[in-house]
Amino acid sequence: MALEKLQMIPLGGLGEFGMNCLALRFGDDILVIDAGLMFPEEELLGVDIVVPDISYLIENRSMVRGIVLTHGHEDHIGGLPWILSELNVPVYGTEFTLAYVEGKLDEHRLLDDAELIEILPGKRFTLGPFSVMPIRVTHSLVDCVSLAIHTPVGIVLHTGDFKIDLSSPDGHPFDLQAFADLGKQGVLALLQDSTNVDRPGFTPGEKAVIPRLDDIFAATKKKIFFSCFSSSIHRIKIAMELAHKHGRKVALVGRSIDNSTEIAQDLGYIDPPQGLIIHPGQIRDFAPDKLCILISGTQGEPMSALSRAAVDNHKFAKIDPGDTVLLSSRIIPGNEKGIYRVIDHLERRDARVIHDDGTNGLIHVSGHGSQEELRLMINLVKPKFFIPVHGDYRHLKRHVELALSTGVPEKVILLEDGDVLTLDKDSAQKTGKVTTGRVCIDNNSTADVVEDTVIRDRKHLGEDGLFLPIIAINKRTGAIEGQPEITTRGFAADDPDLLRNARDIVVRTLEQSSEEERRDYGVMKDKIRGDLKRFIQKNANRRPLIMPIILEL
């Protein structure tokens, strides 16, 4: 045992935002931290979600002792249905995190077979050679933890997503003392959240939004539509408290915000006064200045409640002139078009839209620590080795520079997905690479994995369209029946003679083929495809997807 070394293998989240998943291996035991997803970039046409390639875990399935979750955001738990369908191992998480996980697994019909084990901040548990101490941290979600993993070679501290908020609205502040105690014990390696490494100073606490939001509630004479991330339990709680203070009833509109609020109420994170929450169907029963509507869709999602209300197409949420719409969230990169499209529709309804965060006070704060918090954590735990996690390559690189500037870690290591970092008490070296990558999934189904070739075909179709030559062949004689037809989709020909000439190409290909070839439909399709491809490339400088269809008569 003493001769064995610890291996750290990131399977996702180092080089992109999302898909957070990391394996720790000691001998024949593997512990997995987080199982996230990533939402697809524009070029991944038709793909719903992207999850990490877990080939390494599948190859070593007998060694995997469990998956430990830091918190309940999608980029940390969203890949669980896919991973558990391949690898049914115990899942460890805090009460609130597991409540989200249960809903997700139930949706994918995986809940009955899942083993979910609740963990408590400050209470150690054991997985093989790993003794894991969850430590309370603050973030934009509740019940989040860092993981201090005691291994035979030393303590590995994985921060998860965090910011240092000592006055959290839920009464559970960041546990600064626990990190200071770890610093006294000695930390072998610190893996730290890189999300806000570009932001100077400290990230404001969740309560920093209250003064500006209070002013908005006080000044608004009509309905308030309050939109935030459905997982922002602190923000939902603050909105409800302000609504109560200003004599407004609260209606929850949108499935995600309704589900999150229900979980938060069940677990005691939100305790609204009796009668504060009304059913959306009761909105029309109250005066506009007595209403606050918590509505989902802050990122401009096309079918969200806010998007539908913005075009006057929601059963309960009707936005009238003079209403205030408050977007209490950041714009996730890539969502700008959708968000500004919704804002345009809201402006057409003569609503007052507030989506800034800083001119007259804050309406949104980040859930991730800025530069000074990152430095504070490094100075507090005094790690021997430092590894930045969670971020694009540029974030990881900036984080390396920030860690070096503290002068604390003996060694700073920039890892990417698939790198194998081997550690003992005195050294940390990259010693290899494992298979990693992304798995694209359609329809949120664990079965509908989309291959790269499918994405390529979708891109192809989107750019150059589809060409369908339809040919009728007499199976008995091999003779062509009638003239071939050509149907196109997404292919605009500048030359009106192009389709006629393409039809002639198909006829010539058929005529020049032997009777035996014409009876072999596979051969004929290839010949027609090849001849048409050359013709269209030469005459239209396009490369549509060509799919010959042969009707057997």
PDB file of all heavy atoms in Angstrom, residues 488-501:
ATOM      1  N   THR A 488     -35.568  18.383 -54.319  1.00  0.00           N
ATOM      2  CA  THR A 488     -34.517  19.022 -53.506  1.00  0.00           C
ATOM      3  C   THR A 488     -35.138  19.677 -52.282  1.00  0.00           C
ATOM      4  O   THR A 488     -36.305  20.066 -52.290  1.00  0.00           O
ATOM      5  CB  THR A 488     -33.751  20.099 -54.305  1.00  0.00           C
ATOM      6  OG1 THR A 488     -34.635  21.178 -54.596  1.00  0.00           O
ATOM      7  CG2 THR A 488     -33.163  19.539 -55.587  1.00  0.00           C
ATOM      8  N   ARG A 489     -34.333  19.787 -51.212  1.00  0.00           N
ATOM      9  CA  ARG A 489     -34.710  20.529 -50.009  1.00  0.00           C
ATOM     10  C   ARG A 489     -33.502  21.371 -49.586  1.00  0.00           C
ATOM     11  O   ARG A 489     -32.398  20.846 -49.437  1.00  0.00           O
ATOM     12  CB  ARG A 489     -35.087  19.578 -48.865  1.00  0.00           C
ATOM     13  CG  ARG A 489     -36.425  18.870 -49.045  1.00  0.00           C
ATOM     14  CD  ARG A 489     -37.603  19.835 -48.912  1.00  0.00           C
ATOM     15  NE  ARG A 489     -38.889  19.177 -49.081  1.00  0.00           N
ATOM     16  CZ  ARG A 489     -39.507  19.006 -50.238  1.00  0.00           C
ATOM     17  NH1 ARG A 489     -38.925  19.437 -51.353  1.00  0.00           N
ATOM     18  NH2 ARG A 489     -40.691  18.424 -50.300  1.00  0.00           N
ATOM     19  N   GLY A 490     -33.730  22.679 -49.425  1.00  0.00           N
ATOM     20  CA  GLY A 490     -32.642  23.545 -48.981  1.00  0.00           C
ATOM     21  C   GLY A 490     -31.570  23.734 -50.037  1.00  0.00           C
ATOM     22  O   GLY A 490     -30.445  24.114 -49.741  1.00  0.00           O
ATOM     23  N   PHE A 491     -31.935  23.454 -51.305  1.00  0.00           N
ATOM     24  CA  PHE A 491     -30.966  23.621 -52.402  1.00  0.00           C
ATOM     25  C   PHE A 491     -31.590  24.545 -53.429  1.00  0.00           C
ATOM     26  O   PHE A 491     -32.548  24.184 -54.122  1.00  0.00           O
ATOM     27  CB  PHE A 491     -30.636  22.267 -53.031  1.00  0.00           C
ATOM     28  CG  PHE A 491     -29.620  22.345 -54.161  1.00  0.00           C
ATOM     29  CD1 PHE A 491     -28.270  22.169 -53.886  1.00  0.00           C
ATOM     30  CD2 PHE A 491     -30.012  22.602 -55.453  1.00  0.00           C
ATOM     31  CE1 PHE A 491     -27.339  22.244 -54.921  1.00  0.00           C
ATOM     32  CE2 PHE A 491     -29.090  22.684 -56.483  1.00  0.00           C
ATOM     33  CZ  PHE A 491     -27.747  22.505 -56.216  1.00  0.00           C
ATOM     34  N   ALA A 492     -31.076  25.754 -53.509  1.00  0.00           N
ATOM     35  CA  ALA A 492     -31.607  26.728 -54.472  1.00  0.00           C
ATOM     36  C   ALA A 492     -30.667  26.789 -55.667  1.00  0.00           C
ATOM     37  O   ALA A 492     -29.507  27.172 -55.540  1.00  0.00           O
ATOM     38  CB  ALA A 492     -31.732  28.103 -53.817  1.00  0.00           C
ATOM     39  N   ALA A 493     -31.159  26.360 -56.839  1.00  0.00           N
ATOM     40  CA  ALA A 493     -30.311  26.362 -58.041  1.00  0.00           C
ATOM     41  C   ALA A 493     -30.453  27.698 -58.769  1.00  0.00           C
ATOM     42  O   ALA A 493     -31.554  28.133 -59.093  1.00  0.00           O
ATOM     43  CB  ALA A 493     -30.730  25.220 -58.950  1.00  0.00           C
ATOM     44  N   ASP A 494     -29.312  28.376 -59.002  1.00  0.00           N
ATOM     45  CA  ASP A 494     -29.334  29.648 -59.749  1.00  0.00           C
ATOM     46  C   ASP A 494     -29.696  29.399 -61.219  1.00  0.00           C
ATOM     47  O   ASP A 494     -30.358  30.206 -61.856  1.00  0.00           O
ATOM     48  CB  ASP A 494     -27.959  30.324 -59.666  1.00  0.00           C
ATOM     49  CG  ASP A 494     -27.619  30.721 -58.237  1.00  0.00           C
ATOM     50  OD1 ASP A 494     -28.565  30.975 -57.471  1.00  0.00           O
ATOM     51  OD2 ASP A 494     -26.415  30.751 -57.889  1.00  0.00           O
ATOM     52  N   ASP A 495     -29.240  28.248 -61.750  1.00  0.00           N
ATOM     53  CA  ASP A 495     -29.457  27.918 -63.154  1.00  0.00           C
ATOM     54  C   ASP A 495     -30.710  27.053 -63.284  1.00  0.00           C
ATOM     55  O   ASP A 495     -30.753  25.935 -62.762  1.00  0.00           O
ATOM     56  CB  ASP A 495     -28.213  27.156 -63.659  1.00  0.00           C
ATOM     57  CG  ASP A 495     -28.347  26.767 -65.113  1.00  0.00           C
ATOM     58  OD1 ASP A 495     -29.387  27.098 -65.721  1.00  0.00           O
ATOM     59  OD2 ASP A 495     -27.413  26.111 -65.630  1.00  0.00           O
ATOM     60  N   PRO A 496     -31.762  27.546 -63.960  1.00  0.00           N
ATOM     61  CA  PRO A 496     -33.004  26.757 -64.072  1.00  0.00           C
ATOM     62  C   PRO A 496     -32.791  25.445 -64.811  1.00  0.00           C
ATOM     63  O   PRO A 496     -33.589  24.517 -64.693  1.00  0.00           O
ATOM     64  CB  PRO A 496     -33.958  27.696 -64.838  1.00  0.00           C
ATOM     65  CG  PRO A 496     -33.088  28.731 -65.470  1.00  0.00           C
ATOM     66  CD  PRO A 496     -31.864  28.851 -64.621  1.00  0.00           C
ATOM     67  N   ASP A 497     -31.736  25.395 -65.639  1.00  0.00           N
ATOM     68  CA  ASP A 497     -31.486  24.154 -66.391  1.00  0.00           C
ATOM     69  C   ASP A 497     -30.759  23.109 -65.567  1.00  0.00           C
ATOM     70  O   ASP A 497     -30.585  21.969 -66.022  1.00  0.00           O
ATOM     71  CB  ASP A 497     -30.631  24.464 -67.642  1.00  0.00           C
ATOM     72  CG  ASP A 497     -31.388  25.359 -68.624  1.00  0.00           C
ATOM     73  OD1 ASP A 497     -32.640  25.241 -68.649  1.00  0.00           O
ATOM     74  OD2 ASP A 497     -30.747  26.148 -69.335  1.00  0.00           O
ATOM     75  N   LEU A 498     -30.312  23.491 -64.357  1.00  0.00           N
ATOM     76  CA  LEU A 498     -29.475  22.587 -63.555  1.00  0.00           C
ATOM     77  C   LEU A 498     -30.197  21.279 -63.231  1.00  0.00           C
ATOM     78  O   LEU A 498     -29.642  20.188 -63.409  1.00  0.00           O
ATOM     79  CB  LEU A 498     -29.035  23.268 -62.247  1.00  0.00           C
ATOM     80  CG  LEU A 498     -28.023  22.462 -61.420  1.00  0.00           C
ATOM     81  CD1 LEU A 498     -26.630  22.546 -62.035  1.00  0.00           C
ATOM     82  CD2 LEU A 498     -27.952  22.968 -59.990  1.00  0.00           C
ATOM     83  N   LEU A 499     -31.459  21.371 -62.785  1.00  0.00           N
ATOM     84  CA  LEU A 499     -32.198  20.158 -62.412  1.00  0.00           C
ATOM     85  C   LEU A 499     -32.469  19.283 -63.631  1.00  0.00           C
ATOM     86  O   LEU A 499     -32.400  18.050 -63.552  1.00  0.00           O
ATOM     87  CB  LEU A 499     -33.502  20.510 -61.701  1.00  0.00           C
ATOM     88  CG  LEU A 499     -33.385  21.123 -60.300  1.00  0.00           C
ATOM     89  CD1 LEU A 499     -34.765  21.344 -59.684  1.00  0.00           C
ATOM     90  CD2 LEU A 499     -32.572  20.229 -59.373  1.00  0.00           C
ATOM     91  N   ARG A 500     -32.789  19.931 -64.780  1.00  0.00           N
ATOM     92  CA  ARG A 500     -33.029  19.155 -66.000  1.00  0.00           C
ATOM     93  C   ARG A 500     -31.759  18.414 -66.421  1.00  0.00           C
ATOM     94  O   ARG A 500     -31.791  17.228 -66.756  1.00  0.00           O
ATOM     95  CB  ARG A 500     -33.507  20.099 -67.125  1.00  0.00           C
ATOM     96  CG  ARG A 500     -33.849  19.374 -68.424  1.00  0.00           C
ATOM     97  CD  ARG A 500     -34.532  20.317 -69.416  1.00  0.00           C
ATOM     98  NE  ARG A 500     -33.821  21.588 -69.565  1.00  0.00           N
ATOM     99  CZ  ARG A 500     -32.697  21.723 -70.298  1.00  0.00           C
ATOM    100  NH1 ARG A 500     -32.164  20.695 -70.899  1.00  0.00           N
ATOM    101  NH2 ARG A 500     -32.129  22.917 -70.397  1.00  0.00           N
ATOM    102  N   ASN A 501     -30.629  19.129 -66.348  1.00  0.00           N
ATOM    103  CA  ASN A 501     -29.353  18.502 -66.721  1.00  0.00           C
ATOM    104  C   ASN A 501     -28.971  17.406 -65.722  1.00  0.00           C
ATOM    105  O   ASN A 501     -28.399  16.385 -66.104  1.00  0.00           O
ATOM    106  CB  ASN A 501     -28.241  19.551 -66.792  1.00  0.00           C
ATOM    107  CG  ASN A 501     -28.454  20.527 -67.950  1.00  0.00           C
ATOM    108  OD1 ASN A 501     -29.125  20.180 -68.926  1.00  0.00           O
ATOM    109  ND2 ASN A 501     -27.913  21.737 -67.835  1.00  0.00           N
TER     110      ASN A 501
END
